[in-house]
Amino acid sequence: MAINLQQALEVGKYIVTQRLKGRKHYPLVLMLEPLFRCNLACPGCGKIQHPTDILKRNLTPQECFAAAEECGAPIVSIPGGEPLLHPQIDEIVQGLIERKKFVYLCTNGLLLEKSLDKFQPSPYLTFSVHLDGMRDWHDRCVNRKGVFDTAVQAIRAAKAKGFRVTTNTTVFQGVDSKQMQEFFDFLSTINIDGMMISPGYSYEWASDQEHFLKREQTRALFREILAPYKAGQKNWNFNHNPLFIDFLTGEKDYECSPWGSPSYSVLGWQKPCYLLNEGHYATFDELMEKTEWQKYGRASGNPKCADCMVHCGYEPTAATDAMQPQNLVRSIGSIFG
């Protein structure tokens, strides 16, 4: 199963509690960025475009714990930069686990194998390894040869030590559908615990703006890629609510929940979401209370949001929809494959 049962139960209980309290805007996943530095320079990422003085900065473990407690989300995703460059990343992860947070440590895999001894397998910890396709395509996406092979070797090593490992894949314009299907087939052979997929999103600071997908392009491409899966010909193990998969292919039409995945970094709480650079708040309460949420998402008419279908905005919507009686049985069934 992709999403472990303990996580599914805790997240479901959390969503029900928030709704019983009458809260419309609540976080589901904290995007915790303890640093922006990276050992790659992917053209589709804008984090390393920050000034040098910011790239040198790290969040302390205490700042990370305070953010997790202030936010209250049951899941903490740790992107970057490359989190394994942080000198205290093991302390950060352990502290979050002690606080019963489900941690997804996102990594490009280059440092993963030699870092495994810093961590202990736990149902609360998942390594999420970035792979955008098979060897040639992935190495092209990250602008360095050999990264795919290193990442796959690290995945095998982590699994051998008993860790949960998923992959995360960004689908950009120009990808070959058949090759992406072959990639999913390959991932099914290396014993990973699930695959996460997201369309390429228009990240303002990214150096490559030509390969981001428009909304209708996204739907058409994912319908093509996922056709064997939808037809029952493939049993690919996605680490997603099935309703989010429906959204990607156009079978569901959701609005964004930008408050569902708030981002905290060395700069503070990013407003309004992970992808837009509109400044930062000092506290989580300020982010939630002062952000004019009606100005974001496709329904707002904001041109920056028109084509975005990224997981950090729409998976929280799908998760809430999964709790509806008509969707509950299917959502529970997906946990057990």
Side-chain angles (χ1 to χ4, degrees), residues 38-67:
C38 193
N39 47 7
L40 288 175
C42 304
C45 175
K47 295 299 180 181
I48 60 171
Q49 307 300 327
H50 285 289
T52 302
D53 63 314
I54 293 177
L55 292 176
K56 291 180 179 179
R57 293 169 60 184
N58 298 330
L59 287 177
T60 67
Q62 289 70 32
E63 289 172 322
C64 293
F65 305 150

Side-chain angles (χ1 to χ4, degrees), residues 4 94 97 101 103 119-126 162-164:
N4 72 65
Q94 184 58 37
I97 290 174
K101 303 296 183 182
V103 178
F119 306 96
Q120 295 294 322
S122 165
Y124 286 95
L125 173 61
T126 300
F163 289 98
R164 278 182 52 84

Side-chain angles (χ1 to χ4, degrees), residues 9-199:
L9 291 173
E10 289 296 324
V11 171
K13 183 173 70 173
Y14 171 83
I15 292 174
V16 170
T17 300
Q18 301 305 308
R19 297 187 69 181
L20 288 175
K21 291 180 178 180
R23 293 174 179 165
K24 180 180 178 181
H25 300 154
Y26 55 87
L28 189 62
V29 180
L30 167 61
M31 307 284 282
L32 179 66
E33 300 175 283
L35 80 176
F36 291 136
R37 292 191 308 284
C38 193
N39 47 7
L40 288 175
C42 304
C45 175
K47 295 299 180 181
I48 60 171
Q49 307 300 327
H50 285 289
T52 302
D53 63 314
I54 293 177
L55 292 176
K56 291 180 179 179
R57 293 169 60 184
N58 298 330
L59 287 177
T60 67
Q62 289 70 32
E63 289 172 322
C64 293
F65 305 150
E69 292 169 356
E70 186 182 4
C71 172
I75 301 171
V76 178
S77 176
I78 308 180
E82 170 52 58
L84 293 177
L85 289 172
H86 195 295
Q88 295 171 286
I89 190 61
D90 51 342
E91 185 179 342
I92 291 170
V93 168
Q94 184 58 37
L96 293 171
I97 290 174
E98 290 172 359
R99 289 163 173 79
K100 304 299 183 184
K101 303 296 183 182
F102 293 95
V103 178
Y104 284 79
L105 194 156
C106 305
T107 173
N108 56 39
L110 292 179
L111 299 175
L112 178 57
E113 185 171 5
K114 68 180 183 181
S115 300
L116 291 175
D117 289 342
K118 295 180 179 180
F119 306 96
Q120 295 294 322
S122 165
Y124 286 95
L125 173 61
T126 300
F127 291 116
S128 178
V129 181
H130 172 216
L131 285 175
D132 281 345
M134 293 302 287
R135 180 182 293 106
D136 290 346
W137 179 257
H138 179 70
D139 288 356
R140 175 182 168 188
C141 288
V142 301
N143 202 28
R144 185 187 299 180
K145 290 185 178 181
V147 175
F148 177 88
D149 289 336
T150 300
V152 170
Q153 180 176 316
I155 290 172
R156 296 184 191 276
K159 289 301 300 176
K161 287 181 176 287
F163 289 98
R164 278 182 52 84
V165 183
T166 61
T167 55
N168 65 82
T169 300
T170 304
V171 179
F172 292 100
Q173 182 181 0
V175 72
D176 182 273
S177 298
K178 293 294 184 184
Q179 290 181 2
M180 190 58 64
Q181 292 165 359
E182 292 170 4
F183 171 59
F184 293 157
D185 286 342
F186 168 75
L187 292 179
S188 300
T189 70
I190 59 174
N191 196 31
I192 60 169
D193 296 284
M195 305 180 291
M196 293 184 282
I197 54 174
S198 183

Side-chain angles (χ1 to χ4, degrees), residues 25 259 281 283-294:
H25 300 154
W259 54 83
Y281 286 115
T283 69
F284 175 73
D285 286 343
E286 284 183 300
L287 173 71
M288 299 301 286
E289 295 168 7
K290 294 185 178 181
T291 302
E292 298 180 78
W293 298 113
Q294 70 277 12

Side-chain angles (χ1 to χ4, degrees), residues 1-5 8 193-195 229-230 235-246 315 318-319 322-323 327-337:
M1 78 181 60
I3 301 175
N4 72 65
L5 181 60
D193 296 284
M195 305 180 291
Y229 176 77
K230 287 289 188 176
N235 191 30
W236 295 321
N237 188 20
F238 290 112
N239 192 46
H240 290 292
N241 184 306
L243 302 179
F244 177 71
I245 299 293
D246 290 350
E315 276 206 278
M323 302 305 292
N327 296 324
L328 198 54
V329 171
R330 184 181 174 207
S331 298
I332 293 174
S334 70
I335 298 171
F336 298 97

Side-chain angles (χ1 to χ4, degrees), residues 197-265:
I197 54 174
S198 183
Y201 36 86
S202 186
Y203 190 46
E204 288 184 292
W205 281 14
S207 58
D208 179 6
Q209 293 288 323
E210 296 181 5
H211 291 89
F212 293 124
L213 293 161
K214 303 297 184 184
R215 183 170 288 259
E216 287 310 314
Q217 287 178 308
T218 296
R219 289 172 171 166
L221 181 57
F222 275 93
R223 280 195 294 267
E224 201 172 304
I225 293 172
L226 296 174
Y229 176 77
K230 287 289 188 176
Q233 299 166 357
K234 298 288 185 180
N235 191 30
W236 295 321
N237 188 20
F238 290 112
N239 192 46
H240 290 292
N241 184 306
L243 302 179
F244 177 71
I245 299 293
D246 290 350
F247 167 71
L248 291 178
T249 58
E251 297 167 72
K252 288 279 187 180
D253 189 17
Y254 288 136
E255 289 299 333
C256 179
S257 299
W259 54 83
S261 300
S263 175
Y264 182 73
S265 71

